[in-house]
Amino acid sequence: MDAVRVALLREVLAGTEWPAAARRFAGTLRSSVVPHGGGLLLVGTAAYEPWHLAAHLVDESTWSGLPELTPTLVRHRVEPGDPAHLAVGLGRIEAAGRGETLLLVAPQRPGARLLERVHDARQAGATVLSLDDGDPEVGGLAHETLAVTGTDDVDLDTVQHLVSAAAGENSAPAPRGRRSFRDRLSRLADQLTAPPPPRW
C-alpha cells in the first residue's frame, strides 16, 4: 500500500484509536529490532501466514533505510525446493533468544504447540509482539499486543497496513542525500492527517 493510500486510510479512520494505536505498536516494533540490528521473526498460525505483512515490512525497510525491519517469515509448512527466504520452519522459533523479536500475527487462536514455542522463545529472552484477535492467552505471552476483535470497525489486514507504514515512517531521515519523493509525500500525508495540537 503506497503512502497516498495509507494517508487516505488514516483519513477514513481519523477520530478512531487505530492510527495512533498502530503508530505506538510500530514504535515498539522498531525500538525492539533497530538496536539489535534486526532479528525480526514473523509468524502466523497454521491457517494464516502473514505474507502481506512480510512484503510490506520489506518495502518499508527499503524505503526508510532501516534494514532491521526486514523480517524472516517463519512458516508452518516448508516444502522441499522452497527458496531460502521461504524455507524457514517453526524450529527457528525454538532457536530464538535474547536480542530477537518474534511478531505473531493471529487472526484466530493459535494452536497449543505454537503457543508453547512462543512461550519458550520469550523465556529464552526474545521480545514477543502480537497482532491478534484479543485472545487472552496470546496477550499474556506478548510484551506488546494490538488486538483487533470481531466487534472493531477495522479488520486485521487494515491494521497490518497501518503498522507496517508507521514502522517505516517514524524512523529518522536517512543521514545522506536528499529525501526521496516517497519520503516527502509520506511526510506531507502525515502532516495533513495529524490531529490538531491540544489547546492548553
Side-chain angles (χ1 to χ4, degrees):
M1 185 175 283
D2 61 41
V4 173
R5 289 181 182 159
V6 170
L8 291 172
L9 180 57
R10 287 179 179 150
E11 184 178 334
V12 168
L13 294 172
T16 73
E17 66 180 296
W18 296 108
R23 280 194 169 104
R24 279 193 303 272
F25 189 86
T28 300
L29 172 62
R30 227 181 20 265
S31 66
S32 179
V33 298
V34 170
H36 298 289
L40 176 58
L41 305 175
L42 178 61
V43 67
T45 65
Y48 179 86
E49 286 191 333
W51 297 90
H52 207 167
L53 180 57
H56 282 301
L57 285 171
V58 168
D59 289 343
E60 290 298 334
S61 74
T62 301
W63 292 327
S64 67
L66 287 175
E68 300 88 353
L69 289 175
T70 300
T72 297
L73 181 63
V74 178
R75 303 181 63 206
H76 287 256
R77 287 172 301 279
V78 176
E79 301 295 334
D82 281 345
H85 69 288
L86 298 178
V88 179
L90 291 175
R92 181 61 182 88
I93 296 175
E94 294 172 2
R98 191 166 308 283
E100 294 183 294
T101 300
L102 175 60
L103 174 54
L104 171 63
V105 182
Q108 66 281 336
R109 182 181 175 81
R113 187 67 185 115
L114 177 58
L115 289 174
E116 288 173 16
R117 285 182 163 120
V118 172
H119 175 266
D120 291 347
R122 178 174 172 142
Q123 291 294 104
T127 299
V128 177
L129 309 176
S130 71
L131 291 169
D132 61 76
D133 65 349
D135 184 282
E137 192 167 356
V138 174
L141 288 175
H143 292 91
E144 182 80 21
T145 186
L146 184 55
V148 184
T149 68
T151 61
D152 288 317
D153 49 1
V154 296
D155 60 20
L156 191 61
D157 285 340
T158 299
V159 171
Q160 290 179 68
H161 284 298
L162 292 172
V163 167
S164 61
E169 289 172 349
N170 291 339
S171 64
R176 288 177 278 162
R178 297 183 57 202
R179 291 172 61 124
S180 71
F181 174 73
R182 185 188 188 290
D183 290 337
R184 294 192 310 272
L185 183 60
S186 176
R187 183 176 166 86
L188 176 62
D190 277 347
Q191 291 171 343
L192 294 174
T193 59
R199 296 179 190 217
W200 304 105

